[in-house]
Amino acid sequence: MSGTSKNGPAKSLTIHQDAQIMIDKAREEGITTVWDRLADQQPQCGYCALGLSCRNCAMGPCRIDPFGEGPQKGVCGADADVIVARNLGRTIAAGSSSHSDHGRDILEAFGDLARGQATGYRIADEGKLRRIAAEVGVVTEHRTVEEVATDLTNVLQEDYGTRRGSLSFVARAPEVRRARWDALGITPRGIDRENVEMLHRTHMGVDNDYVNTLLHALRTGLADGWGGSMIATELSDVMFGTPTPVMSEVNLGVLKTDQVNIAMHGHNPLLSDAICTAAEDPQLVELARSVGAKGINIVGLCCTGNEMLMRRGVPMAGNHLTQELVLITGALEAMVVDYQCIMPSIVDVAKCYHTKIISTSDKAKFTGATHVPFEPEHGAKIAEEIVRIAVEAYPNRNHGRVRIPGQPVKMMGGFSIEAILGALGGTPKPLVDAIAAGSIRGAVAVVGCNNPKLPQDLEHIELTRRLIENDILVLVTGCAAVANGKAGHMVPDAAAMAGPGLRAVCEALGIPPVLHVGSCVDNSRIMVLMAALADYLGVDIDQLPVAGAAPEWYSEKAVAIGAYVVASGVTTVLGVQPPVFGSPHVVGLLANGLESVVGATFVVEPDPAKAALFIRRHIESKRRGLGLSCFEPETLGIDDNESAHTVPVGAAVGA
Ligand code: BF8
Ligand code: SF4
């Protein structure tokens, strides 16, 4: 079916002009995109949207009638609470597994490197290697880098198994938080173990108590945030460099009309780093010239793009909903993918052009794509082969069909926690002082995806703008970071958009009011920062004037992130309704009950103005708890209907 305008004008689907132009081009050329397929899926299943369908066994599939007239139990006897909790638990396990398996791939490559079996890689940050190794009990003094790296590999590999006790990096959490996790029985033990146990518990006839299931779901999330994701982040820093502030550019304007354009899409920096190096190879650059191109232009998409931007300043083409649109420019020789968030549809769209889709992970093959299996042992050679395929596609480009919309926007990246603390002079003190003085009210992590059910980036941008205007520092990762980059929020000059207190701090430090912390696994960096701030103040994380937000989330990984962020004590606002509203008990636990358990809750609020207001009030209440100056809630009023914040999830229940 060809692309149509059945889902409204392009400007109702995305706030960005580059994307709007490409959606119109897709329609002109009869190419189907994600928005067309969403329209084709209407109406989507109401049972599934409420979390009330189950197909965990062959006595089913079953569904619970949300209106109370039809069946209230599945064939096995599971009620709405059990079914909703099991579904949520499995979603979190899938997300946690995704991040953690990415972490495992990095760890295995790191092990190869330690043993001298990986080509094209090196230890880029020896200081961080030795620091992490010492932290987890590896002897570092008078030992070679290889010896330390080998021992560190062994320790972290154990974290994936069934180690009893707790994961290595859990020790980074404040002692009071760890004590709370221990008391609840949710300290993550083994990364794989928690995920497998979640699958076990949700088999028919195992964990039939929704509270018990959800507690394990939190533990499964914690195994991601303080386990798999944290390993991915830390070892990526060791191998590719710990990010430091760097300028780059973003939007579809980063493509070049006269160069071989290669988009790197997915999540794992193992491949993309090697490709960046290969693209500078003089022989390959010469080959590009010989086919009529002026050079080789590497651009990023999604989290692979974030990894490359953070460490190398590689330009960013766009976020999740841009992945088809970048192909529609007609200017891409190759899209090289590894895994996660890569729509199968890219193969169909690429067929309309000369673009090669090159898959690289044996875990993630795409029928119709060119598969070049990536092995770290031969990283450099394989990267060269991939770049060569792209260069050789250049003569097939139909220049008459190329349209590169607009000019790129400047954005700054590279705010690892080390870089943030470095900018502050090595300790959290200046940030804490600014928060204590009230010039910065607090900090919010705005993270997560795009979702075609919402206009692309609207919620990210609106929420972030309202937060920085009110002197709240915003940290961004994943597609939320790209959204803010495109909106111009991530250059030092954007300090002018912030309230007076935040503006003064940003101008003094030369930083934007919205800091790019990295990819989605790098949400683990935010946990490290929260732990450092809590430790500095001698409090638990849930006492800090902070919050999380995932305004446009779509992915199972985002649910896992939400689980560990909340379990770590940070209240998190979701802009898209999760499939839990079929069980008022589960909703009650997530929206209220968790407060007394982990000191934080989930809130669902699709309206960014109301979400911002909720967050501001939340931050002020945390300030009050710390004895800091605080605004009274009524002084924070805005002219919209403000009811949503008082019954956080209730607003969406009635939707
Ligand atoms: O891990 S923010 S759409 S690209 S899941 Fe995916 Fe969501 Fe983007 Fe990165 Ni994260
Ligand atoms: Fe139905 Fe129970 Fe089987 Fe789920 S586990 S499909 S509710 S019988």
Side-chain angles (χ1 to χ4, degrees):
M1 199 215 60
S2 68
T4 68
S5 56
K6 63 190 166 191
N7 35 35
K11 67 177 185 316
S12 69
L13 307 181
T14 171
I15 64 169
H16 298 293
Q17 204 181 16
D18 63 335
Q20 291 164 7
I21 292 169
M22 286 304 104
I23 291 170
D24 286 336
K25 184 170 186 273
R27 288 172 175 173
E28 281 160 26
E29 297 185 356
I31 295 169
T32 299
T33 64
V34 63
W35 291 280
D36 301 309
R37 294 188 299 273
L38 177 63
D40 289 345
Q41 286 290 338
Q42 301 309 313
Q44 289 175 307
C45 173
Y47 295 103
C48 292
L50 292 169
L52 286 174
S53 51
C54 180
R55 52 177 182 76
N56 287 9
C57 86
M59 295 191 286
C62 303
R63 72 226 183 282
I64 304 298
D65 180 0
F67 302 108
E69 289 161 14
Q72 295 300 296
K73 298 271 174 82
V75 175
C76 66
D79 61 11
D81 298 340
V82 169
I83 289 175
V84 168
R86 283 197 307 216
N87 288 340
L88 183 62
R90 285 199 168 197
T91 298
I92 290 170
S96 175
S97 298
S98 302
H99 284 147
S100 299
D101 205 42
H102 160 175
R104 186 197 328 270
D105 286 341
I106 306 261
L107 177 56
E108 287 183 345
F110 179 74
D112 288 346
L113 174 62
R115 290 186 296 273
Q117 292 168 357
T119 67
Y121 299 107
R122 64 192 179 92
I123 300 292
D125 190 341
E126 184 182 335
K128 184 154 185 172
L129 166 68
R130 290 186 181 275
R131 182 160 54 77
I132 296 172
E135 189 186 336
V136 301
V138 172
V139 176
T140 59
E141 279 166 23
H142 312 301
R143 299 187 75 206
T144 65
V145 164
E146 291 75 18
E147 287 167 340
V148 172
T150 301
D151 283 4
L152 178 60
T153 303
N154 293 338
V155 171
L156 297 181
Q157 269 172 344
E158 272 185 47
D159 276 347
Y160 276 88
T162 55
R163 168 190 283 197
R164 292 182 189 279
S166 74
L167 302 179
S168 300
F169 289 141
V170 164
R172 293 176 166 187
E175 205 176 325
V176 274
R177 178 64 29 184
R178 280 183 275 137
R180 205 190 279 229
W181 291 340
D182 278 344
L184 290 165
I186 62 169
T187 300
R189 301 155 297 180
I191 297 165
D192 292 340
R193 174 184 187 156
E194 307 309 357
N195 287 304
V196 169
E197 186 172 319
M198 191 78 250
L199 295 181
H200 175 200
R201 285 182 185 230
T202 51
H203 186 280
M204 200 296 279
V206 184
D207 199 352
N208 294 310
D209 179 276
Y210 76 95
V211 176
N212 207 41
T213 305
L214 291 176
L215 282 173
H216 186 72
L218 295 182
R219 177 154 57 178
T220 306
L222 289 169
D224 174 1
W226 298 85
S229 277
M230 204 169 271
I231 289 173
T233 294
E234 297 295 55
L235 293 186
S236 295
D237 282 358
V238 170
M239 290 174 75
F240 308 120
T242 303
T244 54
V246 60
M247 283 305 296
S248 187
E249 296 186 322
V250 61
N251 79 24
L252 290 173
V254 300
L255 297 175
K256 306 266 195 249
T257 48
D258 52 4
Q259 297 198 24
V260 174
N261 290 307
I262 303 175
M264 303 298 304
H265 181 14
H267 286 79
N268 192 319
L270 283 172
L271 168 69
S272 50
D273 196 83
I275 295 270
C276 288
T277 303
E280 290 165 1
D281 180 322
Q283 283 184 350
L284 287 168
V285 174
E286 190 45 46
L287 182 66
R289 295 217 174 97
S290 75
V291 297
K294 292 216 170 104
I296 301 169
N297 182 38
I298 306 288
V299 301
L301 279 168
C302 292
C303 283
T304 285
N306 283 321
E307 299 275 357
M308 297 194 301
L309 188 152
M310 288 284 286
R311 297 197 178 86
R312 289 178 176 254
V314 170
M316 170 70 83
N319 47 2
H320 184 53
L321 289 181
T322 317
Q323 61 182 290
E324 293 174 313
L325 306 181
V326 68
L327 295 164
I328 291 163
T329 62
L332 209 59
E333 275 54 57
M335 180 181 282
V336 184
V337 303
D338 47 54
Y339 42 51
Q340 299 170 15
C341 302
I342 300 153
M343 293 186 197
S345 64
I346 56 166
V347 177
D348 300 329
V349 179
K351 274 189 201 140
C352 304
Y353 303 92
H354 69 299
T355 312
K356 297 273 185 203
I357 301 289
I358 303 174
S359 57
T360 58
S361 167
D362 288 345
K363 296 173 189 173
K365 293 193 176 181
F366 293 67
T367 304
T370 304
H371 189 66
V372 181
F374 183 73
E375 300 146 6
E377 306 90 280
H378 312 293
K381 194 169 143 293
I382 293 167
E384 282 171 27
E385 183 187 340
I386 289 171
V387 173
R388 185 179 299 276
I389 293 172
V391 170
E392 288 171 353
Y394 184 80
N396 300 329
R397 188 193 289 186
N398 179 346
H399 293 269
R401 275 182 80 195
V402 169
R403 177 121 195 237
I404 298 175
Q407 290 299 312
V409 174
K410 296 246 179 281
M411 76 182 281
M412 196 178 214
F415 290 95
S416 60
I417 302 313
E418 290 86 341
I420 293 174
L421 293 179
L424 296 170
T427 83
K429 185 171 186 302
L431 180 58
V432 171
D433 288 349
I435 291 173
S439 45
I440 296 179
R441 311 302 303 172
V444 175
V446 179
V447 308
C449 324
N450 290 144
N451 187 320
K453 294 175 177 174
L454 301 169
Q456 183 193 20
D457 293 350
L458 176 68
E459 311 259 327
H460 287 307
I461 300 317
E462 284 285 308
L463 175 62
T464 303
R465 192 172 54 72
R466 287 166 190 270
L467 295 175
I468 61 174
E469 276 172 7
N470 287 292
D471 290 326
I472 293 169
L473 178 67
V474 174
L475 309 176
V476 286
T477 58
C479 290
V482 184
N484 277 283
K486 283 186 275 182
H489 290 171
M490 291 166 77
V491 286
D493 284 350
M497 300 165 122
L502 178 60
R503 176 179 181 163
V505 172
C506 290
E507 286 177 349
L509 296 172
I511 59 171
V514 182
L515 300 181
H516 192 340
V517 182
S519 63
C520 281
V521 292
D522 293 337
N523 286 313
S524 62
R525 297 189 197 277
I526 295 172
M527 293 295 96
V528 172
L529 180 63
M530 295 301 140
L533 290 175
D535 282 343
Y536 185 83
L537 287 166
V539 299
D540 196 355
I541 293 174
D542 65 316
Q543 294 171 268
L544 298 173
V546 300
E552 301 180 29
W553 74 275
Y554 94 89
S555 143
E556 292 166 315
K557 291 179 289 170
V559 188
I561 293 167
Y564 74 71
V565 169
V566 169
S568 299
V570 179
T571 286
T572 296
V573 182
L574 306 175
V576 177
Q577 186 168 315
V580 297
F581 286 90
S583 165
H585 287 133
V586 170
V587 171
L589 182 69
L590 298 177
N592 296 308
L594 285 180
E595 182 65 45
S596 60
V597 179
V598 292
T601 60
F602 284 98
V603 177
V604 177
E605 180 48 76
D607 178 338
K610 291 177 186 168
L613 181 62
F614 169 82
I615 289 171
R616 290 174 59 210
R617 289 181 169 169
H618 175 76
I619 281 177
E620 294 303 321
S621 76
K622 294 295 177 185
R623 292 181 62 87
R624 181 181 293 116
L626 287 172
L628 302 176
S629 67
C630 60
F631 298 129
E632 293 307 316
E634 51 274 19
T635 67
L636 299 181
I638 52 171
D639 48 8
D640 292 281
N641 170 354
E642 295 174 6
S643 63
H645 75 280
T646 49
V647 188
V649 176
V653 178

